[in-house]
C-alpha cells in the first residue's frame, strides 16, 4: 500500500478500499522502521496524525470528501503548522511550536489531507546537500552514503523511501528540483507568487517558492491544485483565477518545441547526466516534440547574482531571531548586546552564519551599489534571456544538477564548490519562472538523475503535460530504492 | 560675531487609521501591553506584511495639501537594526522613492510670511516600546505601538529662528489635524519632532555642523530645546570649540540637551527594498478621488476670510489654526452678520479663556448661536464694550442667551440722550475743578468727568455719547 501514488491512494480511499486511519498507520509504521536510517522526518506525532485521519474518514463517510481527503503527507519543517513544532532545521527554532498555520498547511488541511510528520531540511533552507540541519544530515534512500540534495532533502528522501506519498517543499535556488533529482522523485517549483508564502519561514523572500514533491507529475498536479491560489495575506501572491493543473496532462506533445540551452550542456556537466538528459530528449522527440537549440547567455552570472541577493534578503529575514520573543535564548549574558550575540552565535549553524555575514556585507553602505544593485541588474538580464528563449520554444529542457548526488561530507569544507552545483537551477528562481525535475535515469554508481523542465510564467500545466507524457513512456519514476 | 541659526525639522505624524499599517491589529491607544500585537507585530516566523491602503490615501492627502509631488510608484524599504522593541530586526520604511516629495508649507511669523520647503514625506511603521519601570533590573516590551502607521515629514533646512521653527511645526500640526489624517494628540505621541540645529556666522554660505534633537513631543519643549541648543552651539564656537555632528536628547527637567550618540556610532541601516511588499502603484484616478475629497485648505480659507469678512491677515491666520476654530468662526460670522467682530472676540476673549484652561475651541462653552447673540447686541450698541465683557462672563458660566443675561442683569446700555445729559450736568456741577482744567486746555480732565458719568450710570451709559455730550456742554 505504501508504494502507491497519490492518485492511486485517492482512488482507494474514495472506493473505501482502505481507510485514512489504516493508511496513516501503515505509513507511520514505515517511518518508524526506516526513518532511523534516513533521518528524513524530524517530528512524528502518532496521536495527532490519527485524529486527523479519523476526521478524514468521517468526512469520506459523510460524502463530503474532495480528491485528496484522507491522503497522508509530510510537511517540510518550515511551513508553520499550528500545534506542531516548526523547527526549520535550526537550533534557533527547536523549541518553537507554531501558534498558527501557513497558507499551504491550511489548504492541505482544508482538503482533508493528513499530516504524518515534519520533514528534515537544511537549516533555514540554506544548502544543497541537507547536511546543514540541526537534526543531522538526511541520507539518500538510494545510497545511504550519498546526500539527498538540499534543502528539501527530507521531503524528497521521504517520498523516495515511500515514507509518504507526497511532501511539501520549498525552492529558493533549486531546493525542490535538486533533491527531487538526487532522490529519483518528481518535484515542481511553481511560478513565483503562485503558492502563498504566508506562514513559510522566510529564507530569501523574492526567491522562495513552495511546491510539492511526489512520485509522479500527475501527483504533483493534484497537489498543486490544493497548494496554489491567491492569498491576500501574501502581498506577492498572484491574483489569478484558480486553475486545474491536471487539465493538460494527457495532451499530445506533437509539435511541442523543447529548447535546449547550449550553456546547460557545456563543460562541467557529468557524462552520465548528459546522457540521461539526451535520452530524455530522444524520448520526447518520439512523442512528437521538436528540439531547438537556444541560448541563455547569462546563465553563469546567476551564481554570483544569487549568492548576493539570497544572503542579502536572508540576513534581514533572520534578524527576527534575537532571543527576545521566542526561539532559542542564551543562558548567560551581561547585557542586551551580549544576549543577541550569544543567542545568535549558539542558535545558528555555520552555513546560516556565513550567509548572514555575506548578506550584511553586500547591503552595507559602501558596497550596496557594487553588489546588491549590480545583482539586481543581472537578475533582469537573466529574465530577459528567458523571455527571448520562450519566443523560440514552449519549454526548456536540461539537467537539474551537474552531477548525480555526491557523497555525504564530500563538499562540506568547500562551500563555493557546493554553490556551483546550483548553476542550472538558480536562474529559474531569479527570473521567478516555474521549473520541475522528473526522474530520467541513473548514474553508473546507481544514483538517480533528474531532467529539468523549465516553463514560461504560469506554464505549470504545460510542464506537467510534458512530464506526464514522459512518465507514461518511461518508468524511471516508478523505480523505488531497496530499503 | 553675529550668528545665523539654521533649522530643519523631521516630524513623525501618526496617522489615525483604525488598523495598523501592515496588519489588521487595532491602533487604539491605551490598551493593556501586547493586547494589540498580532503575529505580524510579534514577527513570528513566516508572517508577512500587507499594506493598509488607508495609509496611502492619507499620505496622498498631505502631499496634495503641501503642493508636493506624489510618486505614483513608491517603494517600501527595510531599515535594519537590532533593538528589543523592533521585533523583525528591521523597520519597514521608505528610503529611495518616498510617496511624497518636493512640497512647501507657508508660515506666518508675526506678520511676515515665509515658505518652508518640505523635502519629502514617507510612510513607515512605528516600533514598539520598552518599559523600564515596573521590572526590577529588567525591561518589558510592549508591542501595541509596533506597526502603527507614521508619516515622516522632512523639511528643508529653511528655518532661521526658533520662532520660524515653531511656526512651521504649528502650521504642519494644524494641517495634519485639518486634513483629518492625525488625531493630534501630542501627549500620546501622535506628533513627534526631531529638530536639526546648526549655527553659522552671518553671511557664511556653508552650513555649520548640525546636531539633531530627537523625539520632542511638545511645542514648548521644542522651543526650550532649540533655544538651549543654539546658545550652547554659539557658546561652544565662541569659546574656540568645534561642534561634532551628533544626536542629542532634551531633558525637560533640566532644560538642557545632552548627547545620545555621535556620528561615529551612527548605524549602517542597510536599507534595501522590502521583498515582501510590491511597489505601491498610485493611479491618476486615486489621486483625483482624493483631491475631490479634500477639505478647503487653510491658505484658501484665510484668503476667503479676508475677502468675505474683512478680517486682517493676522486674524485670518489665527482663525485657521484649526479646522474646528475656522468653522466656529465662520458659523458665528454668518449667524451674527459681523465677521470682524466675531474674529476679535474669538481671537481675543475666547482664545485667552481657552488658553488659560489649556482647552481648544471644541471645549468652548459658548455655542455659535449664543456668541452671535452677544455680537449682535454689541453691534447695535445695546452693549458697551465693558458691558459686553460682563455679558461674556455670564455666557461662559451659564446656558442663557446674551439677551436673557442682559434682561436678567439689567445690562442694557443707556443711550437715551436725556438721561445721559442729566448725568453729565450732575457731573459738571459736582466737579468744578475738572471743568476748569478742561477749559484751560487739559484734555485729560474730560476723562475724569466721563468716568464720573459712567460710574453714575453703573457703566451702562454709552461711552461715546457721554463724551459727545460732555464736550457740547463744556464748550
Amino acid at each position: 500500500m505504501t508504494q502507491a501514488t497519490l492518485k492511486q491512494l485517492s482512488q482507494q480511499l474514495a472506493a473505501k478500499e482502505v481507510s485514512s486511519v489504516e493508511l496513516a498507520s501503515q505509513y507511520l509504521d514505515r517511518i518508524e522502521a526506516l526513518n532511523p536510517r534516513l533521518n528524513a522526518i524530524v517530528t512524528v506525532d502518532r496521536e495527532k496524525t490519527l485524529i486527523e485521519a479519523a476526521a478524514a474518514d468521517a468526512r469520506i463517510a459523510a460524502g463530503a470528501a474532495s480528491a485528496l481527503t484522507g491522503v497522508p503527507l509530510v510537511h517540510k519543517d518550515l511551513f508553520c503548522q499550528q500545534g506542531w513544532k516548526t523547527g526549520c532545521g535550526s537550533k534557533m527554532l527547536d523549541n518553537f511550536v507554531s501558534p498558527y498555520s501557513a497558507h499551504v498547511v491550511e489548504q492541505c488541511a482544508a482538503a482533508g489531507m493528513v499530516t504524518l510528520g515534519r520533514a528534515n531540511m537544511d537549516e533555514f533552507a540554506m544548502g544543497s546537500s541537507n547536511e546543514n540541519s540541526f537534526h543531522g544530515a538526511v541520507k539518500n534512500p538510494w545510497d545511504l552514503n550519498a546526500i539527498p540534495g538540499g534543502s528539501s532533502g527530507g521531503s524528497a528522501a521521504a517520498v523516495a523511501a515511500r515514507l509518504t506519498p507526497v511532501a511539501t517543499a520549498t525552492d529558493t535556488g533549486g531546493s525542490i528540483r535538486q533533491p527531487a533529482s538526487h532522490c529519483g522523485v518528481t518535484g515542481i517549483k511553481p511560478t513565483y507568487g503562485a503558492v502563498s508564502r504566508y506562514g513559510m519561514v522566510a529564507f530569501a523572500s523574492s526567491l522562495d517558492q513552495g511546491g510539492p514533491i511526489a512520485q509522479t507529475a500527475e501527483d504533483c498536479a493534484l497537489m498543486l491544485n490544493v497548494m496554489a491560489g491567491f492569498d491576500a495575506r501574501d502581498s506577492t501572491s498572484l491574483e489569478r483565477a484558480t486553475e486545474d493543473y491536471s487539465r493538460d496532462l494527457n495532451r499530445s506533445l506533437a509539435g511541442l518545441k523543447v529548447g535546449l540551452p547550449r550553456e546547460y550542456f557545456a563543460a562541467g556537466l557529468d557524462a552520465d547526466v548528459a546522457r540521461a538528459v539526451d535520452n530524455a530528449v530522444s524520448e520526447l522527440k518520439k512523442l512528437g516534440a521538436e528540439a531547438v537549440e537556444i541560448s541563455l547567455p547569462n546563465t553563469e552570472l546567476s551564481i554570483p547574482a544569487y549568492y548576493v541577493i539570497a544572503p542579502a534578503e536572508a540576513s534581514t529575514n533572520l534578524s527576527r531571531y534575537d532571543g527576545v520573543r521566542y526561539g532559542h535564548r542564551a543562558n548567560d549574558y551581561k547585557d542586551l548586546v551580549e544576549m543577541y550575540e550569544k543567542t545568535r552565535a549558539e542558535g545558528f549553524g555555520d552555513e546560516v552564519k556565513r550567509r548572514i555575514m555575506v548578506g550584511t556585507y553586500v547591503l552595507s553602505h559602501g558596497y550596496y551599489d557594487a553588489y546588491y544593485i549590480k545583482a539586481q541588474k543581472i537578475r533582469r538580464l537573466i529574465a530577459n534571456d528567458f523571455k527571448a528563449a520562450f519566443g523560440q520554444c514552449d519549454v526548456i529542457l536540461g539537467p537539474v544538477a551537474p552531477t548525480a548526488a555526491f557523497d555525504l561530507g564530500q563538499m562540506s569544507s568547500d562551500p563555493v564548490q557546493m554553490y556551483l552545483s546550483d548553476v542550472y537551477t538558480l536562474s529559474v528562481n531569479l527570473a521567478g519562472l516555474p521549473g520541475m525535475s522528473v526522474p530520467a535515469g541513473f548514474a553508473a554508481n546507481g544514483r538517480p538523475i533528474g531532467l529539468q523542465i523549465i516553463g514560461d510564467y504560469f506554464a505549470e500545466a504545460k510542464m506537467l503535460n510534458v512530464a506526464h507524457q514522459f512518465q507514461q513512456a518511461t518508468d524511471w519514476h516508478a523505480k523505488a530504492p531497496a530499503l | 560675531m553675529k550668528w545665523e541659526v539654521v533649522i530643519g525639522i523631521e516630524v513623525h505624524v501618526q496617522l489615525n487609521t483604525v488598523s495598523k499599517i501592515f496588519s489588521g491589529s487595532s491602533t487604539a491607544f491605551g490598551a493593556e501591553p501586547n493586547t494589540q500585537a498580532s503575529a505580524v507585530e510579534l514577527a513570528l516566523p513566516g508572517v508577512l506584511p500587507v499594506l493598509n491602503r488607508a495609509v496611502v490615501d492619507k499620505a496622498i492627502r498631505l502631499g496634495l495639501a503641501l503642493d508636493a509631488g506624489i510618486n505614483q510608484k513608491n517603494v517600501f524599504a527595510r531599515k535594519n537594526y537590532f533593538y528589543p522593541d523592533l521585533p523583525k530586526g528591521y523597520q519597514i520604511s521608505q528610503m529611495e522613492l518616498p510617496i511624497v516629495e518636493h512640497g512647501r508649507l507657508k508660515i506666518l511669523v508675526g506678520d511676515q510670511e515665509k515658505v518652508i520647503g518640505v523635502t519629502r514625506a514617507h510612510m513607515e511603521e512605528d516600533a514598539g516600546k520598552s518599559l523600564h519601570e515596573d521590572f526590577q533590573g529588567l525591561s518589558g516590551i510592549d508591542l501595541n505601538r509596533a506597526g502603527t502607521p507614521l508619516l515622516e515629514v522632512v523639511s528643508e533646512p529653511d528655518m532661521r529662528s526658533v520662532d520660524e521653527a515653531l511656526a512651521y511645526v504649528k502650521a504642519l500640526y494644524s494641517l495634519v489635524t485639518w486634513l483629518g489624517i492625525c488625531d493630534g494628540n501630542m501627549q500620546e505621541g501622535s506628533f513627534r519632532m526631531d529638530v536639526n540645529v546648526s549655527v553659522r556666522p552671518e553671511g557664511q554660505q556653508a552650513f555649520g555642523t548640525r546636531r539633531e534633537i530627537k523625539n520632542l513631543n511638545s511645542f514648548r519643549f521644542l522651543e526650550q530645546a532649540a533655544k538651549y541648543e543654539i546658545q550652547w552651539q554659539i557658546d561652544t564656537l565662541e569659546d574656540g570649540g568645534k561642534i561634532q555632528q551628533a544626536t542629542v536628547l532634551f531633558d525637560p527637567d533640566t532644560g538642557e540637551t545632552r548627547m545620545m550618540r555621535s556620528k561615529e556610532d551612527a548605524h549602517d541601516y542597510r536599507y534595501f527594498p522590502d521583498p515582501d511588499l510590491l511597489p505601491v502603484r498610485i493611479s491618476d484616478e486615486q489621486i483625483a478621488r482624493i483631491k475631490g475629497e479634500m477639505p478647503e485648505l487653510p491658505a484658501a480659507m484665510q484668503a476667503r476670510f479676508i475677502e468675505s469678512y474683512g478680517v486682517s491677515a493676522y486674524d485670518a491666520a489665527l482663525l485657521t489654526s484649526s479646522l474646528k476654530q475656522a468653522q466656529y468662526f465662520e458659523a458665528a460670522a454668518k449667524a451674527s452678520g459681523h465677521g470682524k467682530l466675531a474674529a476679535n472676540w474669538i481671537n481675543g476673549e475666547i482664545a485667552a479663556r481657552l488658553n488659560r484652561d489649556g482647552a481648544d475651541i471644541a471645549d468652548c462653552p459658548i455655542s455659535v448661536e449664543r456668541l452671535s447673540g452677544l455680537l449682535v447686541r454689541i453691534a447695535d450698541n445695546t452693549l458697551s464694550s465693558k458691558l459686553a465683557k460682563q455679558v461674556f462672563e455670564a455666557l461662559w458660566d451659564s446656558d442663557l442667551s446674551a439677551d436673557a443675561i442682559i434682561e436678567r442683569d439689567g445690562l442694557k446700555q443707556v443711550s437715551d440722550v436725556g438721561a445721559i445729559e442729566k448725568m453729565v450736568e450732575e457731573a459738571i456741577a459736582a466737579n468744578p475743578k475738572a471743568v476748569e482744567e478742561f477749559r484751560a486746555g487739559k484734555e485729560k480732565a474730560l476723562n475724569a468727568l466721563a468716568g464720573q458719568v459712567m460710574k453714575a450710570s453703573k457703566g451702562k451709559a454709552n461711552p461715546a455719547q457721554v463724551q459727545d455730550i460732555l464736550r457740547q456742554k463744556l464748550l
Side-chain angles (χ1 to χ4, degrees), chain A residues 80 93 96 99-100 192 197-201 205-206 232-236 312-313 316-317 319-322 324-326 336 340 344 360 363-365 368 372, chain B residues 39-51 78 80 82-90 96 141 143 268-278:
Chain A
C80 285
L93 284 177
F96 180 70
Y100 79 108
Y192 181 78
R197 290 185 296 115
Y198 179 81
M200 210 174 97
V201 179
S205 311
S206 75
R233 297 169 299 185
D234 174 359
S235 307
T236 59
E313 295 184 8
T316 100
N317 279 336
S319 57
R320 69 187 56 200
Y321 307 110
D322 56 9
V324 174
R325 299 166 310 286
Y326 51 78
L336 178 68
Y340 288 148
R344 292 168 68 81
T360 303
L363 287 178
S364 61
H365 190 62
Y368 180 75
Y372 184 78
Chain B
V40 172
E41 283 79 49
L42 287 164
L44 289 186
V47 295
L48 296 168
V50 177
L51 177 61
R78 292 183 182 177
N80 295 279
F82 282 100
Y83 206 71
D85 64 17
L86 187 71
K88 293 189 294 297
Y90 57 83
E96 288 170 49
I141 303 290
L143 296 177
D268 181 349
Y269 289 118
R270 290 172 284 119
Y271 280 100
F272 80 110
D274 191 327
D276 286 333
L277 290 159
L278 300 175

Side-chain angles (χ1 to χ4, degrees), chain B residues 5 12 16 99 105 163 253 297 428 468:
Chain B
V5 174
H12 285 91
N16 56 353
I99 185 163
L105 185 60
D163 285 345
D253 293 332
L297 294 177
I428 289 173
D468 286 351

